[in-house]
Amino acid sequence: MTTLYRCITDDDTSQFCHRVSEALSKGWALHGAPTMAHDPVKGVMRMGQAVTKTVMAEYDPDMKLGQQ
């Protein structure tokens, strides 16, 4: 068994919420609180949320975490 880790980031829009919701629907779990920071170049707020998931496979650096 392996615990996988991802950090989902996106602009502070509904798209970010949909990406996190999709991960949760695929068995990922929230890991800590979300984070928010201002991107001065784009002039928008950016969001981040770490998620984890335990899988029945050995870790492989070539894994596509978003497809797990």
Side-chain angles (χ1 to χ4, degrees):
M1 287 182 28
T2 301
T3 299
L4 303 177
Y5 172 90
R6 292 174 57 197
C7 185
I8 300 169
T9 61
D10 210 333
D11 293 347
D12 184 18
T13 65
S14 63
Q15 177 65 24
F16 171 76
C17 297
H18 286 290
R19 290 182 65 206
V20 173
S21 295
E22 179 183 29
L24 295 174
S25 75
K26 292 182 177 181
W28 292 82
L30 299 177
H31 182 78
T35 187
M36 178 184 276
H38 184 258
D39 179 343
V41 174
K42 291 175 72 176
V44 299
M45 294 301 289
R46 298 275 300 166
M47 299 294 296
Q49 175 65 60
V51 293
T52 60
K53 181 178 183 180
T54 301
V55 295
M56 299 297 287
E58 287 204 28
Y59 175 72
D60 179 347
D62 293 328
M63 285 178 160
K64 295 186 183 340
L65 298 177
Q67 296 176 0
Q68 293 295 318

